[in-house]
Amino acid sequence: MSDPRPAARRAPGPHRAARQAPAPHPGDPDGTADPAEAVPPVGTVHPGPVRAAVRSRDPISQAGVTAQLGTVGPDEPAGARPVVVAGPDDDPDILVIVADTVDGWLLAQLEALIGRPSPRPVLVVGQLDDTAGLQAIEAGGLSLVRRSESTATLLREVVRAAARGEARLPTDLLSSLLTRVGRAQRQVLAPRGLTILPLSPRQLAVLRMIAAGADIATIARELSYSERSIKNIVHEITTQLGVRNRTQAVAHAIREGLI
């Protein structure tokens, strides 16, 4: 005879374990991006905190930027690498240099860092136009933030990027400097293994494949992402470069020798 009692339900195996959906991303408003892209792999070892010191001739500006640097804002990404404020004698990873303009004092601070693996500079500047921006870049100031645009979240993210060896510029400044920055990319950044583009390695990989003529389906297959995720990445690229579409993004990058 068969047993009339209902069979016990088997607990899901490891491959069927429930997992929480990632929070929606700005480029993925319905939260349907691949979960594996938003969640670090199990067993990932995160580096220690980024130690950042602040230097300025103005004590008030130094105190303000130091306060921003030590503030974890409500919109800071979950799981982001911590940033801690360090003293200039504590062997910091990053030196945040605060100045009103790109002047002789600021350039002297950058010159003193040439040839040293650390600290890497992040500049917070009050007045920053095309000429001043290029002058700072050519002196080794590869990460810049306008003082009026600086928030705790933005500053801490730029500091993290600098610690990873990535350069950062305000988007509008990058857009207007593309022609002139091509020279800085080839002569200053490329020898150091850096790029002025505010793009991640994944975004650069997608941009290079677009430049080679690959369509969305091909890129998704080659990079092992969903087509929706590739479309989100393309949207991020065009937004960060300040262009209207992927054709313009590729045209700018190729013309300036950035990819």
Side-chain angles (χ1 to χ4, degrees), residues 122-175:
V122 168
L123 309 184
V124 179
V125 183
Q127 300 177 24
L128 188 62
D129 57 14
D130 293 4
T131 301
L134 187 57
Q135 189 178 16
I137 293 168
E138 291 179 333
L142 309 179
S143 297
L144 298 97
V145 179
R146 285 194 182 91
R147 186 71 178 91
S148 61
E149 299 172 354
S150 180
T151 64
T153 300
L154 173 62
L155 182 58
R156 288 165 64 87
E157 176 51 38
V158 172
V159 164
R160 290 189 194 95
R164 295 192 299 266
E166 300 173 9
R168 287 291 186 269
L169 288 179
T171 302
D172 66 302
L173 180 62
L174 173 63
S175 179

mmCIF file of all heavy atoms in Angstrom, residues 122-175:
data_model
loop_
_atom_site.group_PDB
_atom_site.id
_atom_site.type_symbol
_atom_site.label_atom_id
_atom_site.label_comp_id
_atom_site.label_asym_id
_atom_site.label_seq_id
_atom_site.Cartn_x
_atom_site.Cartn_y
_atom_site.Cartn_z
ATOM 1 N N VAL A 122 44.390 63.851 -4.860
ATOM 2 C CA VAL A 122 43.039 64.218 -5.289
ATOM 3 C C VAL A 122 42.919 65.711 -5.037
ATOM 4 O O VAL A 122 43.197 66.179 -3.933
ATOM 5 C CB VAL A 122 41.961 63.449 -4.494
ATOM 6 C CG1 VAL A 122 40.576 64.066 -4.748
ATOM 7 C CG2 VAL A 122 41.948 61.976 -4.881
ATOM 8 N N LEU A 123 42.527 66.470 -6.059
ATOM 9 C CA LEU A 123 42.466 67.920 -5.944
ATOM 10 C C LEU A 123 41.027 68.381 -5.758
ATOM 11 O O LEU A 123 40.131 67.969 -6.505
ATOM 12 C CB LEU A 123 43.060 68.583 -7.190
ATOM 13 C CG LEU A 123 44.449 68.117 -7.624
ATOM 14 C CD1 LEU A 123 44.926 68.938 -8.819
ATOM 15 C CD2 LEU A 123 45.440 68.205 -6.480
ATOM 16 N N VAL A 124 40.809 69.252 -4.786
ATOM 17 C CA VAL A 124 39.526 69.926 -4.593
ATOM 18 C C VAL A 124 39.802 71.407 -4.823
ATOM 19 O O VAL A 124 40.476 72.048 -4.024
ATOM 20 C CB VAL A 124 38.955 69.679 -3.184
ATOM 21 C CG1 VAL A 124 37.627 70.419 -3.016
ATOM 22 C CG2 VAL A 124 38.754 68.187 -2.938
ATOM 23 N N VAL A 125 39.273 71.928 -5.939
ATOM 24 C CA VAL A 125 39.648 73.273 -6.390
ATOM 25 C C VAL A 125 38.407 74.146 -6.525
ATOM 26 O O VAL A 125 37.373 73.698 -7.034
ATOM 27 C CB VAL A 125 40.398 73.196 -7.741
ATOM 28 C CG1 VAL A 125 40.850 74.578 -8.183
ATOM 29 C CG2 VAL A 125 41.596 72.245 -7.634
ATOM 30 N N GLY A 126 38.535 75.394 -6.083
ATOM 31 C CA GLY A 126 37.412 76.319 -6.156
ATOM 32 C C GLY A 126 37.092 76.740 -7.577
ATOM 33 O O GLY A 126 35.959 76.630 -8.045
ATOM 34 N N GLN A 127 38.092 77.252 -8.306
ATOM 35 C CA GLN A 127 37.910 77.713 -9.680
ATOM 36 C C GLN A 127 38.633 76.745 -10.610
ATOM 37 O O GLN A 127 39.863 76.633 -10.570
ATOM 38 C CB GLN A 127 38.460 79.123 -9.842
ATOM 39 C CG GLN A 127 37.792 80.149 -8.931
ATOM 40 C CD GLN A 127 38.414 81.522 -9.056
ATOM 41 O OE1 GLN A 127 39.015 81.842 -10.084
ATOM 42 N NE2 GLN A 127 38.283 82.339 -8.020
ATOM 43 N N LEU A 128 37.861 76.069 -11.463
ATOM 44 C CA LEU A 128 38.444 75.031 -12.320
ATOM 45 C C LEU A 128 37.848 75.141 -13.714
ATOM 46 O O LEU A 128 36.733 74.694 -13.966
ATOM 47 C CB LEU A 128 38.159 73.650 -11.724
ATOM 48 C CG LEU A 128 38.836 72.446 -12.376
ATOM 49 C CD1 LEU A 128 40.350 72.566 -12.282
ATOM 50 C CD2 LEU A 128 38.365 71.151 -11.720
ATOM 51 N N ASP A 129 38.606 75.746 -14.635
ATOM 52 C CA ASP A 129 38.168 75.815 -16.029
ATOM 53 C C ASP A 129 39.050 74.880 -16.862
ATOM 54 O O ASP A 129 39.872 74.130 -16.334
ATOM 55 C CB ASP A 129 38.226 77.253 -16.551
ATOM 56 C CG ASP A 129 39.624 77.869 -16.437
ATOM 57 O OD1 ASP A 129 40.601 77.112 -16.212
ATOM 58 O OD2 ASP A 129 39.736 79.098 -16.565
ATOM 59 N N ASP A 130 38.880 74.933 -18.192
ATOM 60 C CA ASP A 130 39.616 74.024 -19.066
ATOM 61 C C ASP A 130 41.125 74.168 -18.911
ATOM 62 O O ASP A 130 41.851 73.185 -18.790
ATOM 63 C CB ASP A 130 39.245 74.295 -20.527
ATOM 64 C CG ASP A 130 37.800 73.946 -20.837
ATOM 65 O OD1 ASP A 130 37.075 73.573 -19.890
ATOM 66 O OD2 ASP A 130 37.400 74.061 -22.008
ATOM 67 N N THR A 131 41.602 75.423 -18.920
ATOM 68 C CA THR A 131 43.045 75.665 -18.852
ATOM 69 C C THR A 131 43.619 75.177 -17.529
ATOM 70 O O THR A 131 44.647 74.490 -17.496
ATOM 71 C CB THR A 131 43.339 77.159 -19.037
ATOM 72 O OG1 THR A 131 42.829 77.590 -20.309
ATOM 73 C CG2 THR A 131 44.833 77.422 -18.976
ATOM 74 N N ALA A 132 42.945 75.508 -16.433
ATOM 75 C CA ALA A 132 43.421 75.088 -15.118
ATOM 76 C C ALA A 132 43.363 73.570 -14.984
ATOM 77 O O ALA A 132 44.271 72.946 -14.409
ATOM 78 C CB ALA A 132 42.598 75.751 -14.023
ATOM 79 N N GLY A 133 42.302 72.963 -15.510
ATOM 80 C CA GLY A 133 42.171 71.514 -15.428
ATOM 81 C C GLY A 133 43.296 70.804 -16.149
ATOM 82 O O GLY A 133 43.894 69.866 -15.619
ATOM 83 N N LEU A 134 43.608 71.249 -17.366
ATOM 84 C CA LEU A 134 44.690 70.623 -18.122
ATOM 85 C C LEU A 134 46.036 70.856 -17.447
ATOM 86 O O LEU A 134 46.891 69.970 -17.415
ATOM 87 C CB LEU A 134 44.705 71.161 -19.553
ATOM 88 C CG LEU A 134 45.681 70.464 -20.511
ATOM 89 C CD1 LEU A 134 45.402 68.970 -20.577
ATOM 90 C CD2 LEU A 134 45.627 71.089 -21.887
ATOM 91 N N GLN A 135 46.224 72.035 -16.880
ATOM 92 C CA GLN A 135 47.472 72.335 -16.173
ATOM 93 C C GLN A 135 47.663 71.382 -14.990
ATOM 94 O O GLN A 135 48.765 70.868 -14.758
ATOM 95 C CB GLN A 135 47.458 73.782 -15.686
ATOM 96 C CG GLN A 135 48.788 74.270 -15.137
ATOM 97 C CD GLN A 135 48.732 75.732 -14.724
ATOM 98 O OE1 GLN A 135 47.654 76.313 -14.565
ATOM 99 N NE2 GLN A 135 49.899 76.341 -14.556
ATOM 100 N N ALA A 136 46.584 71.144 -14.270
ATOM 101 C CA ALA A 136 46.659 70.216 -13.133
ATOM 102 C C ALA A 136 46.933 68.788 -13.599
ATOM 103 O O ALA A 136 47.735 68.063 -13.001
ATOM 104 C CB ALA A 136 45.356 70.273 -12.333
ATOM 105 N N ILE A 137 46.268 68.368 -14.680
ATOM 106 C CA ILE A 137 46.470 67.015 -15.206
ATOM 107 C C ILE A 137 47.913 66.801 -15.617
ATOM 108 O O ILE A 137 48.533 65.786 -15.291
ATOM 109 C CB ILE A 137 45.525 66.764 -16.394
ATOM 110 C CG1 ILE A 137 44.082 66.723 -15.928
ATOM 111 C CG2 ILE A 137 45.883 65.459 -17.106
ATOM 112 C CD1 ILE A 137 43.075 66.779 -17.051
ATOM 113 N N GLU A 138 48.475 67.765 -16.338
ATOM 114 C CA GLU A 138 49.840 67.622 -16.821
ATOM 115 C C GLU A 138 50.850 67.621 -15.675
ATOM 116 O O GLU A 138 51.958 67.110 -15.816
ATOM 117 C CB GLU A 138 50.155 68.735 -17.821
ATOM 118 C CG GLU A 138 49.374 68.591 -19.121
ATOM 119 C CD GLU A 138 49.659 69.705 -20.111
ATOM 120 O OE1 GLU A 138 50.012 70.805 -19.663
ATOM 121 O OE2 GLU A 138 49.538 69.451 -21.317
ATOM 122 N N ALA A 139 50.456 68.171 -14.519
ATOM 123 C CA ALA A 139 51.336 68.171 -13.346
ATOM 124 C C ALA A 139 51.153 66.919 -12.502
ATOM 125 O O ALA A 139 51.849 66.753 -11.492
ATOM 126 C CB ALA A 139 51.077 69.423 -12.501
ATOM 127 N N GLY A 140 50.225 66.048 -12.902
ATOM 128 C CA GLY A 140 50.014 64.811 -12.167
ATOM 129 C C GLY A 140 48.763 64.783 -11.317
ATOM 130 O O GLY A 140 48.510 63.803 -10.614
ATOM 131 N N GLY A 141 47.940 65.843 -11.382
ATOM 132 C CA GLY A 141 46.677 65.868 -10.645
ATOM 133 C C GLY A 141 45.591 65.210 -11.458
ATOM 134 O O GLY A 141 44.871 65.883 -12.206
ATOM 135 N N LEU A 142 45.463 63.902 -11.331
ATOM 136 C CA LEU A 142 44.605 63.128 -12.214
ATOM 137 C C LEU A 142 43.182 62.962 -11.712
ATOM 138 O O LEU A 142 42.351 62.379 -12.398
ATOM 139 C CB LEU A 142 45.235 61.748 -12.446
ATOM 140 C CG LEU A 142 46.707 61.770 -12.874
ATOM 141 C CD1 LEU A 142 47.224 60.360 -13.047
ATOM 142 C CD2 LEU A 142 46.893 62.593 -14.131
ATOM 143 N N SER A 143 42.897 63.442 -10.503
ATOM 144 C CA SER A 143 41.549 63.361 -9.943
ATOM 145 C C SER A 143 41.179 64.736 -9.406
ATOM 146 O O SER A 143 41.843 65.237 -8.497
ATOM 147 C CB SER A 143 41.481 62.311 -8.829
ATOM 148 O OG SER A 143 41.750 61.019 -9.334
ATOM 149 N N LEU A 144 40.122 65.327 -9.966
ATOM 150 C CA LEU A 144 39.747 66.685 -9.607
ATOM 151 C C LEU A 144 38.279 66.771 -9.246
ATOM 152 O O LEU A 144 37.437 66.135 -9.884
ATOM 153 C CB LEU A 144 40.029 67.663 -10.761
ATOM 154 C CG LEU A 144 41.486 67.813 -11.207
ATOM 155 C CD1 LEU A 144 41.754 66.940 -12.411
ATOM 156 C CD2 LEU A 144 41.793 69.258 -11.568
ATOM 157 N N VAL A 145 37.983 67.594 -8.246
ATOM 158 C CA VAL A 145 36.611 67.863 -7.825
ATOM 159 C C VAL A 145 36.468 69.362 -7.634
ATOM 160 O O VAL A 145 37.332 69.996 -7.011
ATOM 161 C CB VAL A 145 36.276 67.146 -6.492
ATOM 162 C CG1 VAL A 145 34.846 67.465 -6.058
ATOM 163 C CG2 VAL A 145 36.467 65.640 -6.625
ATOM 164 N N ARG A 146 35.405 69.948 -8.189
ATOM 165 C CA ARG A 146 35.132 71.359 -7.917
ATOM 166 C C ARG A 146 34.629 71.503 -6.483
ATOM 167 O O ARG A 146 33.797 70.722 -6.039
ATOM 168 C CB ARG A 146 34.084 71.909 -8.887
ATOM 169 C CG ARG A 146 34.617 72.162 -10.286
ATOM 170 C CD ARG A 146 33.619 73.022 -11.075
ATOM 171 N NE ARG A 146 34.089 73.234 -12.435
ATOM 172 C CZ ARG A 146 33.790 72.447 -13.449
ATOM 173 N NH1 ARG A 146 33.011 71.391 -13.255
ATOM 174 N NH2 ARG A 146 34.246 72.701 -14.662
ATOM 175 N N ARG A 147 35.107 72.526 -5.806
ATOM 176 C CA ARG A 147 34.708 72.720 -4.407
ATOM 177 C C ARG A 147 33.197 72.890 -4.291
ATOM 178 O O ARG A 147 32.572 72.362 -3.353
ATOM 179 C CB ARG A 147 35.422 73.956 -3.831
ATOM 180 C CG ARG A 147 35.177 74.153 -2.339
ATOM 181 C CD ARG A 147 35.907 73.110 -1.534
ATOM 182 N NE ARG A 147 35.748 73.290 -0.100
ATOM 183 C CZ ARG A 147 34.776 72.732 0.626
ATOM 184 N NH1 ARG A 147 33.886 71.952 0.031
ATOM 185 N NH2 ARG A 147 34.699 72.920 1.916
ATOM 186 N N SER A 148 32.592 73.595 -5.249
ATOM 187 C CA SER A 148 31.152 73.845 -5.192
ATOM 188 C C SER A 148 30.332 72.581 -5.430
ATOM 189 O O SER A 148 29.162 72.520 -5.074
ATOM 190 C CB SER A 148 30.759 74.907 -6.224
ATOM 191 O OG SER A 148 31.074 74.469 -7.544
ATOM 192 N N GLU A 149 30.924 71.562 -6.046
ATOM 193 C CA GLU A 149 30.218 70.326 -6.361
ATOM 194 C C GLU A 149 30.556 69.201 -5.388
ATOM 195 O O GLU A 149 29.969 68.118 -5.456
ATOM 196 C CB GLU A 149 30.569 69.878 -7.786
ATOM 197 C CG GLU A 149 30.169 70.887 -8.855
ATOM 198 C CD GLU A 149 30.702 70.521 -10.235
ATOM 199 O OE1 GLU A 149 31.475 69.536 -10.327
ATOM 200 O OE2 GLU A 149 30.369 71.208 -11.204
ATOM 201 N N SER A 150 31.485 69.468 -4.480
ATOM 202 C CA SER A 150 31.959 68.416 -3.590
ATOM 203 C C SER A 150 30.917 68.068 -2.536
ATOM 204 O O SER A 150 30.419 68.935 -1.816
ATOM 205 C CB SER A 150 33.254 68.853 -2.911
ATOM 206 O OG SER A 150 33.733 67.858 -2.038
ATOM 207 N N THR A 151 30.578 66.797 -2.457
ATOM 208 C CA THR A 151 29.735 66.260 -1.395
ATOM 209 C C THR A 151 30.507 65.125 -0.740
ATOM 210 O O THR A 151 31.513 64.645 -1.289
ATOM 211 C CB THR A 151 28.410 65.709 -1.944
ATOM 212 O OG1 THR A 151 28.688 64.597 -2.819
ATOM 213 C CG2 THR A 151 27.646 66.787 -2.724
ATOM 214 N N ALA A 152 30.045 64.701 0.420
ATOM 215 C CA ALA A 152 30.734 63.612 1.107
ATOM 216 C C ALA A 152 30.784 62.363 0.230
ATOM 217 O O ALA A 152 31.834 61.726 0.086
ATOM 218 C CB ALA A 152 30.040 63.316 2.435
ATOM 219 N N THR A 153 29.655 62.020 -0.399
ATOM 220 C CA THR A 153 29.608 60.809 -1.212
ATOM 221 C C THR A 153 30.512 60.918 -2.428
ATOM 222 O O THR A 153 31.264 59.980 -2.747
ATOM 223 C CB THR A 153 28.164 60.526 -1.653
ATOM 224 O OG1 THR A 153 27.343 60.354 -0.493
ATOM 225 C CG2 THR A 153 28.086 59.276 -2.518
ATOM 226 N N LEU A 154 30.464 62.060 -3.127
ATOM 227 C CA LEU A 154 31.295 62.238 -4.320
ATOM 228 C C LEU A 154 32.774 62.213 -3.953
ATOM 229 O O LEU A 154 33.577 61.525 -4.597
ATOM 230 C CB LEU A 154 30.948 63.561 -5.005
ATOM 231 C CG LEU A 154 31.865 63.962 -6.169
ATOM 232 C CD1 LEU A 154 31.794 62.936 -7.287
ATOM 233 C CD2 LEU A 154 31.512 65.353 -6.690
ATOM 234 N N LEU A 155 33.156 62.962 -2.929
ATOM 235 C CA LEU A 155 34.566 63.041 -2.562
ATOM 236 C C LEU A 155 35.105 61.676 -2.155
ATOM 237 O O LEU A 155 36.204 61.280 -2.555
ATOM 238 C CB LEU A 155 34.756 64.054 -1.426
ATOM 239 C CG LEU A 155 36.193 64.285 -0.964
ATOM 240 C CD1 LEU A 155 37.073 64.764 -2.113
ATOM 241 C CD2 LEU A 155 36.230 65.293 0.175
ATOM 242 N N ARG A 156 34.348 60.939 -1.370
ATOM 243 C CA ARG A 156 34.803 59.619 -0.926
ATOM 244 C C ARG A 156 34.918 58.647 -2.105
ATOM 245 O O ARG A 156 35.831 57.825 -2.146
ATOM 246 C CB ARG A 156 33.850 59.078 0.144
ATOM 247 C CG ARG A 156 33.984 59.807 1.476
ATOM 248 C CD ARG A 156 32.796 59.505 2.402
ATOM 249 N NE ARG A 156 32.725 58.119 2.774
ATOM 250 C CZ ARG A 156 33.358 57.574 3.821
ATOM 251 N NH1 ARG A 156 34.105 58.335 4.595
ATOM 252 N NH2 ARG A 156 33.227 56.290 4.109
ATOM 253 N N GLU A 157 34.009 58.753 -3.089
ATOM 254 C CA GLU A 157 34.094 57.882 -4.255
ATOM 255 C C GLU A 157 35.307 58.235 -5.115
ATOM 256 O O GLU A 157 35.992 57.352 -5.641
ATOM 257 C CB GLU A 157 32.815 57.973 -5.086
ATOM 258 C CG GLU A 157 32.865 57.157 -6.386
ATOM 259 C CD GLU A 157 33.310 55.713 -6.169
ATOM 260 O OE1 GLU A 157 32.940 55.089 -5.160
ATOM 261 O OE2 GLU A 157 34.062 55.204 -7.033
ATOM 262 N N VAL A 158 35.599 59.533 -5.272
ATOM 263 C CA VAL A 158 36.787 59.937 -6.033
ATOM 264 C C VAL A 158 38.050 59.444 -5.329
ATOM 265 O O VAL A 158 39.011 59.003 -5.977
ATOM 266 C CB VAL A 158 36.814 61.472 -6.214
ATOM 267 C CG1 VAL A 158 38.129 61.920 -6.830
ATOM 268 C CG2 VAL A 158 35.656 61.921 -7.101
ATOM 269 N N VAL A 159 38.063 59.508 -4.008
ATOM 270 C CA VAL A 159 39.208 59.009 -3.236
ATOM 271 C C VAL A 159 39.374 57.508 -3.452
ATOM 272 O O VAL A 159 40.487 57.008 -3.661
ATOM 273 C CB VAL A 159 39.027 59.336 -1.739
ATOM 274 C CG1 VAL A 159 39.973 58.512 -0.874
ATOM 275 C CG2 VAL A 159 39.257 60.820 -1.495
ATOM 276 N N ARG A 160 38.272 56.754 -3.428
ATOM 277 C CA ARG A 160 38.352 55.310 -3.680
ATOM 278 C C ARG A 160 38.897 55.029 -5.082
ATOM 279 O O ARG A 160 39.711 54.124 -5.282
ATOM 280 C CB ARG A 160 36.978 54.657 -3.530
ATOM 281 C CG ARG A 160 36.446 54.606 -2.118
ATOM 282 C CD ARG A 160 35.183 53.741 -2.057
ATOM 283 N NE ARG A 160 34.481 53.944 -0.818
ATOM 284 C CZ ARG A 160 33.476 54.794 -0.654
ATOM 285 N NH1 ARG A 160 33.016 55.492 -1.684
ATOM 286 N NH2 ARG A 160 32.908 54.929 0.531
ATOM 287 N N ALA A 161 38.394 55.792 -6.061
ATOM 288 C CA ALA A 161 38.843 55.601 -7.442
ATOM 289 C C ALA A 161 40.340 55.868 -7.555
ATOM 290 O O ALA A 161 41.071 55.125 -8.222
ATOM 291 C CB ALA A 161 38.055 56.514 -8.381
ATOM 292 N N ALA A 162 40.816 56.937 -6.923
ATOM 293 C CA ALA A 162 42.238 57.253 -6.958
ATOM 294 C C ALA A 162 43.058 56.136 -6.330
ATOM 295 O O ALA A 162 44.142 55.790 -6.806
ATOM 296 C CB ALA A 162 42.497 58.581 -6.243
ATOM 297 N N ALA A 163 42.547 55.547 -5.256
ATOM 298 C CA ALA A 163 43.250 54.444 -4.601
ATOM 299 C C ALA A 163 43.339 53.224 -5.515
ATOM 300 O O ALA A 163 44.272 52.423 -5.404
ATOM 301 C CB ALA A 163 42.553 54.081 -3.289
ATOM 302 N N ARG A 164 42.358 53.088 -6.435
ATOM 303 C CA ARG A 164 42.382 51.980 -7.397
ATOM 304 C C ARG A 164 43.246 52.298 -8.610
ATOM 305 O O ARG A 164 43.380 51.473 -9.521
ATOM 306 C CB ARG A 164 40.957 51.664 -7.878
ATOM 307 C CG ARG A 164 40.014 51.147 -6.826
ATOM 308 C CD ARG A 164 38.733 50.596 -7.438
ATOM 309 N NE ARG A 164 37.985 51.599 -8.167
ATOM 310 C CZ ARG A 164 36.989 52.333 -7.646
ATOM 311 N NH1 ARG A 164 36.652 52.159 -6.380
ATOM 312 N NH2 ARG A 164 36.344 53.211 -8.379
ATOM 313 N N GLY A 165 43.800 53.507 -8.660
ATOM 314 C CA GLY A 165 44.609 53.899 -9.802
ATOM 315 C C GLY A 165 43.804 54.481 -10.939
ATOM 316 O O GLY A 165 44.288 54.556 -12.070
ATOM 317 N N GLU A 166 42.566 54.911 -10.661
ATOM 318 C CA GLU A 166 41.703 55.486 -11.685
ATOM 319 C C GLU A 166 41.659 57.008 -11.540
ATOM 320 O O GLU A 166 41.705 57.537 -10.429
ATOM 321 C CB GLU A 166 40.289 54.932 -11.554
ATOM 322 C CG GLU A 166 40.222 53.420 -11.698
ATOM 323 C CD GLU A 166 38.844 52.874 -11.395
ATOM 324 O OE1 GLU A 166 37.906 53.674 -11.244
ATOM 325 O OE2 GLU A 166 38.713 51.648 -11.289
ATOM 326 N N ALA A 167 41.586 57.696 -12.668
ATOM 327 C CA ALA A 167 41.482 59.148 -12.667
ATOM 328 C C ALA A 167 40.021 59.556 -12.725
ATOM 329 O O ALA A 167 39.174 58.815 -13.219
ATOM 330 C CB ALA A 167 42.242 59.734 -13.853
ATOM 331 N N ARG A 168 39.718 60.751 -12.221
ATOM 332 C CA ARG A 168 38.351 61.273 -12.238
ATOM 333 C C ARG A 168 38.366 62.770 -12.535
ATOM 334 O O ARG A 168 39.162 63.512 -11.977
ATOM 335 C CB ARG A 168 37.666 61.046 -10.884
ATOM 336 C CG ARG A 168 37.278 59.598 -10.598
ATOM 337 C CD ARG A 168 36.149 59.155 -11.525
ATOM 338 N NE ARG A 168 35.665 57.826 -11.186
ATOM 339 C CZ ARG A 168 36.132 56.717 -11.706
ATOM 340 N NH1 ARG A 168 37.122 56.762 -12.577
ATOM 341 N NH2 ARG A 168 35.625 55.543 -11.369
ATOM 342 N N LEU A 169 37.450 63.170 -13.435
ATOM 343 C CA LEU A 169 37.249 64.582 -13.754
ATOM 344 C C LEU A 169 35.758 64.875 -13.738
ATOM 345 O O LEU A 169 34.950 63.987 -14.002
ATOM 346 C CB LEU A 169 37.777 64.919 -15.157
ATOM 347 C CG LEU A 169 39.281 64.964 -15.383
ATOM 348 C CD1 LEU A 169 39.553 65.297 -16.842
ATOM 349 C CD2 LEU A 169 39.934 65.988 -14.481
ATOM 350 N N PRO A 170 35.358 66.139 -13.455
ATOM 351 C CA PRO A 170 33.948 66.498 -13.637
ATOM 352 C C PRO A 170 33.525 66.218 -15.080
ATOM 353 O O PRO A 170 34.287 66.465 -16.019
ATOM 354 C CB PRO A 170 33.929 68.005 -13.329
ATOM 355 C CG PRO A 170 35.104 68.220 -12.431
ATOM 356 C CD PRO A 170 36.151 67.260 -12.919
ATOM 357 N N THR A 171 32.316 65.700 -15.268
ATOM 358 C CA THR A 171 31.870 65.276 -16.591
ATOM 359 C C THR A 171 31.906 66.411 -17.609
ATOM 360 O O THR A 171 32.357 66.224 -18.742
ATOM 361 C CB THR A 171 30.446 64.702 -16.502
ATOM 362 O OG1 THR A 171 30.436 63.610 -15.583
ATOM 363 C CG2 THR A 171 29.978 64.206 -17.863
ATOM 364 N N ASP A 172 31.447 67.604 -17.226
ATOM 365 C CA ASP A 172 31.426 68.699 -18.191
ATOM 366 C C ASP A 172 32.833 69.137 -18.555
ATOM 367 O O ASP A 172 33.103 69.501 -19.706
ATOM 368 C CB ASP A 172 30.634 69.890 -17.635
ATOM 369 C CG ASP A 172 31.306 70.519 -16.437
ATOM 370 O OD1 ASP A 172 31.537 69.805 -15.433
ATOM 371 O OD2 ASP A 172 31.621 71.725 -16.483
ATOM 372 N N LEU A 173 33.746 69.079 -17.606
ATOM 373 C CA LEU A 173 35.134 69.435 -17.892
ATOM 374 C C LEU A 173 35.756 68.412 -18.821
ATOM 375 O O LEU A 173 36.454 68.757 -19.770
ATOM 376 C CB LEU A 173 35.929 69.534 -16.588
ATOM 377 C CG LEU A 173 37.407 69.896 -16.717
ATOM 378 C CD1 LEU A 173 37.566 71.275 -17.344
ATOM 379 C CD2 LEU A 173 38.084 69.851 -15.349
ATOM 380 N N LEU A 174 35.472 67.139 -18.594
ATOM 381 C CA LEU A 174 35.978 66.094 -19.468
ATOM 382 C C LEU A 174 35.480 66.288 -20.887
ATOM 383 O O LEU A 174 36.253 66.178 -21.851
ATOM 384 C CB LEU A 174 35.543 64.727 -18.943
ATOM 385 C CG LEU A 174 35.856 63.529 -19.839
ATOM 386 C CD1 LEU A 174 37.353 63.362 -20.024
ATOM 387 C CD2 LEU A 174 35.251 62.265 -19.274
ATOM 388 N N SER A 175 34.199 66.600 -21.031
ATOM 389 C CA SER A 175 33.621 66.763 -22.362
ATOM 390 C C SER A 175 34.298 67.894 -23.136
ATOM 391 O O SER A 175 34.665 67.739 -24.291
ATOM 392 C CB SER A 175 32.118 67.031 -22.240
ATOM 393 O OG SER A 175 31.542 67.206 -23.511
#
